[in-house]
Coordinates of all heavy atoms in Angstrom, one line a residue:
T364 N 41.0 39.9 -3.2 CA 41.0 41.3 -2.9 C 42.2 41.6 -1.9 O 42.7 40.8 -1.2 CB 39.7 41.7 -2.2 OG1 39.4 40.8 -1.2 CG2 38.6 41.8 -3.2
W366 N 44.0 44.2 1.2 CA 43.6 44.5 2.5 C 43.2 45.9 2.8 O 42.6 46.3 3.8 CB 44.7 44.2 3.5 CG 46.0 44.8 3.0 CD1 47.0 44.3 2.2 CD2 46.4 46.2 3.3 NE1 48.0 45.2 1.9 CE2 47.7 46.4 2.6 CE3 45.9 47.2 4.0 CZ2 48.4 47.6 2.6 CZ3 46.6 48.4 4.0 CH2 47.8 48.6 3.4
N367 N 43.5 46.9 1.8 CA 43.4 48.3 2.2 C 42.0 48.8 2.2 O 41.7 49.8 2.9 CB 44.3 49.1 1.3 CG 43.9 49.1 -0.1 OD1 43.4 48.1 -0.6 ND2 44.2 50.2 -0.8
K390 N 38.4 35.0 -1.7 CA 39.5 35.0 -0.7 C 39.8 36.4 -0.3 O 40.3 37.2 -1.0 CB 40.8 34.4 -1.3 CG 41.8 34.2 -0.3 CD 43.2 34.0 -0.8 CE 44.0 35.4 -0.9 NZ 44.2 36.1 0.3
E393 N 44.7 38.3 3.5 CA 45.1 37.7 4.7 C 45.4 38.7 5.9 O 45.3 38.3 7.0 CB 46.4 36.8 4.5 CG 47.6 37.4 3.8 CD 47.5 37.3 2.3 OE1 46.5 37.4 1.7 OE2 48.6 37.1 1.7
G423 N 47.9 34.1 -0.6 CA 47.7 34.3 -2.1 C 48.2 33.2 -2.9 O 47.6 32.7 -3.8
G427 N 44.7 31.8 -3.2 CA 44.5 32.7 -4.3 C 44.8 31.9 -5.6 O 44.0 31.9 -6.6
F441 N 40.0 40.7 -9.5 CA 41.1 40.8 -8.6 C 41.4 42.3 -8.4 O 41.4 43.1 -9.3 CB 42.3 40.2 -9.3 CG 43.7 40.5 -8.6 CD1 44.1 39.9 -7.5 CD2 44.5 41.5 -9.2 CE1 45.3 40.2 -6.9 CE2 45.7 41.9 -8.6 CZ 46.1 41.2 -7.4
T442 N 41.7 42.6 -7.1 CA 42.3 43.9 -6.8 C 43.5 43.7 -6.0 O 43.5 43.0 -5.0 CB 41.3 44.8 -6.0 OG1 40.2 45.1 -6.8 CG2 41.9 46.1 -5.5
G443 N 44.6 44.3 -6.4 CA 45.9 44.1 -5.7 C 47.0 44.7 -6.5 O 46.8 45.6 -7.3
S444 N 48.2 44.1 -6.4 CA 49.4 44.7 -7.0 C 49.4 44.3 -8.5 O 48.9 43.3 -8.9 CB 50.6 44.2 -6.3 OG 50.7 42.7 -6.4
M466 N 44.7 47.4 -10.3 CA 46.0 47.2 -9.7 C 46.6 48.5 -9.2 O 45.9 49.4 -8.8 CB 46.9 46.5 -10.8 CG 46.3 45.1 -11.1 SD 47.0 44.3 -12.5 CE 46.4 45.2 -13.9
G467 N 47.9 48.6 -9.3 CA 48.6 49.7 -8.6 C 48.4 51.1 -9.2 O 47.7 51.3 -10.3
C499 N 44.9 52.8 -3.3 CA 45.4 52.7 -4.7 C 45.3 54.1 -5.4 O 46.1 54.3 -6.3 CB 44.6 51.7 -5.4 SG 42.8 51.9 -5.2
E596 N 55.4 52.8 -7.2 CA 54.3 52.9 -6.2 C 54.9 52.7 -4.8 O 55.5 51.6 -4.6 CB 53.2 51.9 -6.5 CG 52.0 52.0 -5.5 CD 50.9 51.0 -5.7 OE1 51.2 49.9 -6.0 OE2 49.7 51.4 -5.7
F598 N 52.9 53.1 -1.7 CA 51.8 52.6 -0.8 C 52.1 52.9 0.6 O 52.0 52.0 1.5 CB 51.6 51.1 -1.1 CG 50.1 50.7 -1.2 CD1 49.3 51.3 -2.1 CD2 49.6 49.8 -0.3 CE1 48.0 51.0 -2.1 CE2 48.2 49.5 -0.3 CZ 47.4 50.1 -1.3
F663 N 34.9 53.1 -11.7 CA 36.2 53.2 -11.0 C 37.1 52.2 -11.7 O 36.8 51.0 -11.8 CB 36.0 52.9 -9.5 CG 37.3 53.0 -8.8 CD1 37.6 54.1 -8.1 CD2 38.2 51.9 -8.7 CE1 38.8 54.2 -7.4 CE2 39.4 52.0 -8.0 CZ 39.7 53.1 -7.4
Ligands
NAD78 P1 48.8 41.8 -3.5 O1 48.8 41.8 -4.9 O2 50.0 41.3 -2.8 O3 47.6 41.0 -2.8 C1 46.3 41.2 -3.2 C2 45.5 39.9 -3.0 O4 46.0 38.9 -4.0 C3 45.6 39.3 -1.6 O5 44.4 38.7 -1.3 C4 46.7 38.2 -1.8 O6 46.6 37.1 -0.9 C5 46.4 37.7 -3.2 N1 47.5 37.1 -3.9 C6 48.8 37.3 -3.7 N2 49.5 36.4 -4.5 C7 48.7 35.7 -5.3 C8 48.8 34.8 -6.3 N3 50.0 34.3 -6.7 N4 47.7 34.3 -6.8 C9 46.4 34.7 -6.4 N5 46.3 35.6 -5.5 C10 47.4 36.1 -4.9 O7 48.5 43.3 -3.1 P2 48.7 44.0 -1.7 O8 50.1 44.4 -1.5 O9 48.0 43.3 -0.6 O10 47.8 45.3 -1.9 C11 48.3 46.5 -2.3 C12 48.2 46.7 -3.8 O11 46.8 46.7 -4.2 C13 48.7 48.0 -4.3 O12 49.4 47.9 -5.5 C14 47.4 48.9 -4.6 O13 47.6 49.9 -5.5 C15 46.5 47.8 -5.1 N6 45.1 48.2 -5.0 C16 44.5 48.6 -6.1 C17 43.2 49.0 -6.1 C18 42.4 49.4 -7.3 O14 41.2 49.4 -7.3 N7 43.1 49.7 -8.4 C19 42.5 49.1 -4.8 C20 43.2 48.7 -3.7 C21 44.5 48.3 -3.8

Side-chain angles (χ1 to χ4, degrees):
T364 48
W366 50 268
N367 65 330
K390 190 198 92 59
E393 54 269 39
F441 167 81
T442 293
S444 61
M466 301 172 285
C499 48
E596 182 181 43
F598 222 57
F663 179 95

